[in-house]
Amino acid sequence: MKTSKSDRLFREASALLVGGVSSPVRAFKSVGGNPVFIERGRGPWVWDVDGNRYIDFVQSYGAVFLGHANPLLTKAVTAAARRGTVLGAPVPEEIHLARSIRKAFPMLELIRFVNSGTEATMSAVRAARGFTGRSRIVKFAGCYHGHSDGLLAKAGSGAATLSLPDSSGVPASFVAETRVVPYNDVEALRRLFAAEGREIAAVIVEPIAANMGLVRPRDGFLREIRRMTSEHGTVLIFDEVISGFRVRHGGAVEWSGIRPDLVCLGKIMGGGLPVGAYGGGKDIMECVAPLGPVYQAGTLAGNRAAMACGAAAVDWLATRKPYLALEKTTQKFAGALAKLAESHGYEVQVPWVCGMFTLFFSPRPVVSYEDALACDRPAFSRFFHAALANGLYVPPSPFEACFVSPFHTKKILAGALKRWEKAFRDMGEAKA
């Protein structure tokens, strides 16, 4: 594959941007080499600046669900831009999107729009603390809830890729009120509540973990979290920035049947534009300014372009209902991928849920952050470069999920499996 233009642009970017990128996971540091610069996308395809075409399984890390350059979304953004992208005042599009979200998540009596998933989780934690009058927060190892100081503890995703489970620049006092429990470990959570339950303001969790690779919750795990938080008057926060509108129209709330107190949304909800939201019952959300003393604000929050684009995306999903078909497609594809890897002598795990999967180079199931860290990273690095060379665009990290959209047709996925088979064969030749 040609890379001369991407290599040149990376040299130029490295003189201007930190590490040559605007987000750490876009760098190829953990797998070696230089990142490719993407010039354009259409549906499930992307093209880099050197003209290489890829089947896209990154999908902007889950933000693009209706395919790149979707005409419906392009039309919505263009129409909004003609009337002013951001006006510093309420706009009707906020009401439209909020109503569409509530139809999907009826428990969200009040919603606040923000600009990113990080803002949503940070603000939800603040609201939980304000509501309960407590300060302690519980998160799970390997779950990433954005880069706010109090939640950067064993955060998975980019931090794990760079071998930085905690971030420099975060004072110890900022995470002193954060407790970290192994994902899927009910007994550890039970012991923590027994010792500190009266001090815990909130438990925040990715109901389907997707930032240490895809890790499904064990049967009963989410139900037990709900039971313990209810018993101790603790706010349960579902971080659905990735799972919201992906695994079901009502996200992991609908998928699991578990009702949290607050839900954080982003990515798909914005149709590909920067957006986030958090919401829940009136009892908690009325603590947020201007109704209550918990302050949170944002100049670009609720901007017309993101609201219009998000409403078009969410309404399309509500009308088309692609989830059951996509779930079958994902299951079939993940199973075929696992068989391909095994036929070439690789021990792998390919956990999946609707629209998401991860290829773990591991002989045993991955159910926790520790399991993910124990996977064969050199094998993943060889796999990544072989996949890229064969026209498969996958995340440059073993701790990210791959994404499948309703626009990855059977024909495209069949072609992807042929490319994957070639990639596994090239891996073996590279190792030899």
Side-chain angles (χ1 to χ4, degrees):
M1 60 182 282
K2 300 176 182 177
T3 63
S4 58
K5 291 183 179 179
S6 278
D7 292 341
R8 175 178 56 79
L9 288 174
F10 184 59
R11 288 194 297 271
E12 293 178 13
S14 296
L16 298 165
L17 306 174
V18 178
V21 294
S22 294
S23 184
V25 75
R26 298 174 194 171
F28 284 13
K29 187 173 181 180
S30 68
V31 293
N34 295 338
V36 295
F37 278 65
I38 300 301
E39 191 270 332
R40 63 189 175 96
R42 173 71 66 176
W45 301 90
V46 291
W47 289 259
D48 68 22
V49 293
D50 288 284
N52 302 303
R53 187 178 75 157
Y54 310 88
I55 301 173
D56 182 18
F57 290 98
V58 176
Q59 295 284 285
S60 194
Y61 295 92
V64 179
F65 195 49
L66 274 65
H68 297 287
N70 184 293
L72 173 70
L73 304 187
T74 300
K75 181 180 178 180
V77 173
T78 302
R82 288 197 182 105
R83 291 177 290 150
T85 55
V86 60
L87 301 169
V91 294
E93 287 85 352
E94 292 175 270
I95 299 172
H96 183 163
L97 180 54
R99 282 178 175 159
S100 297
I101 291 171
R102 187 190 281 179
K103 287 180 182 178
F105 294 84
M107 53 150 302
L108 303 186
E109 296 176 334
L110 289 174
I111 297 164
R112 169 60 59 84
F113 288 118
V114 291
N115 298 302
S116 68
T118 290
E119 286 189 36
T121 56
M122 175 179 68
S123 302
V125 165
R126 184 179 299 166
R129 283 173 164 154
F131 174 70
T132 62
R134 304 171 183 174
S135 60
R136 199 145 295 168
I137 301 297
V138 178
K139 71 177 295 289
F140 294 88
C143 287
Y144 177 70
H145 305 293
H147 59 268
S148 61
D149 288 347
L151 295 175
L152 269 181
K154 294 193 176 181
S157 191
T161 300
L162 300 176
S163 299
L164 298 172
D166 300 291
S167 175
S168 177
V170 178
S173 59
F174 282 34
V175 294
E177 295 291 350
T178 302
R179 300 290 183 267
V180 182
V181 176
Y183 193 77
N184 273 324
D185 192 336
V186 170
E187 289 304 317
L189 185 63
R190 187 173 291 125
R191 289 192 297 271
L192 178 61
F193 265 108
E196 304 181 24
R198 294 182 180 180
E199 302 171 70
I200 299 173
V203 172
I204 184 168
V205 64
E206 286 184 271
I208 303 169
N211 282 288
M212 49 180 149
L214 179 68
V215 177
R216 296 175 65 113
R218 282 174 166 161
D219 289 345
F221 176 60
L222 298 176
R223 184 171 57 252
E224 280 299 296
I225 298 175
R226 176 69 284 183
R227 186 190 65 77
M228 282 183 260
T229 51
S230 297
E231 182 180 315
H232 289 86
T234 297
V235 174
L236 175 57
I237 304 170
F238 269 15
D239 178 351
E240 294 228 44
V241 170
I242 290 179
S243 59
F245 298 105
R246 175 169 292 280
V247 297
R248 293 290 187 276
H249 191 57
V253 174
E254 180 182 344
W255 179 83
S256 68
I258 304 298
R259 178 183 171 127
D261 300 299
L262 293 174
V263 174
C264 300
L265 297 167
K267 294 190 184 286
I268 289 173
M269 187 198 79
L273 292 190
V275 72
Y278 65 104
K282 289 182 179 179
D283 55 344
I284 300 176
M285 294 303 294
E286 286 181 347
C287 293
V288 178
L291 298 180
V294 177
Y295 193 75
Q296 177 269 311
T299 299
L300 296 174
N303 74 82
R304 170 169 277 159
M307 297 295 99
C309 188
V314 172
D315 290 350
W316 186 93
L317 292 169
T319 301
R320 299 298 182 92
K321 298 180 175 62
Y323 300 101
L324 293 181
L326 183 60
E327 187 165 53
K328 292 179 182 178
T329 297
T330 310
Q331 180 183 22
K332 183 177 180 180
F333 184 76
L337 184 57
K339 289 181 180 178
L340 266 182
E342 290 163 1
S343 71
H344 285 272
Y346 295 101
E347 293 184 299
V348 300
Q349 307 294 321
V350 190
W352 65 274
V353 294
C354 181
M356 290 191 285
F357 68 91
T358 293
L359 180 70
F360 287 111
F361 287 88
S362 172
R364 65 173 187 267
V366 177
V367 299
S368 69
Y369 186 45
E370 290 72 20
D371 291 339
L373 290 175
C375 291
D376 188 341
R377 297 193 209 182
F380 176 85
S381 181
R382 295 195 305 276
F383 158 75
F384 170 79
H385 287 289
L388 201 66
N390 282 282
L392 298 164
Y393 191 55
V394 297
S397 166
F399 305 111
E400 295 285 351
C402 290
F403 296 96
V404 180
S405 79
F407 295 87
H408 284 81
T409 64
K410 291 181 180 179
K411 182 178 180 180
I412 289 172
L413 291 177
L417 287 173
K418 291 180 180 178
R419 297 178 186 217
W420 239 301
E421 183 168 24
K422 176 69 162 52
F424 286 126
R425 189 161 61 247
D426 291 349
M427 281 177 64
E429 293 173 0
K431 187 176 181 180

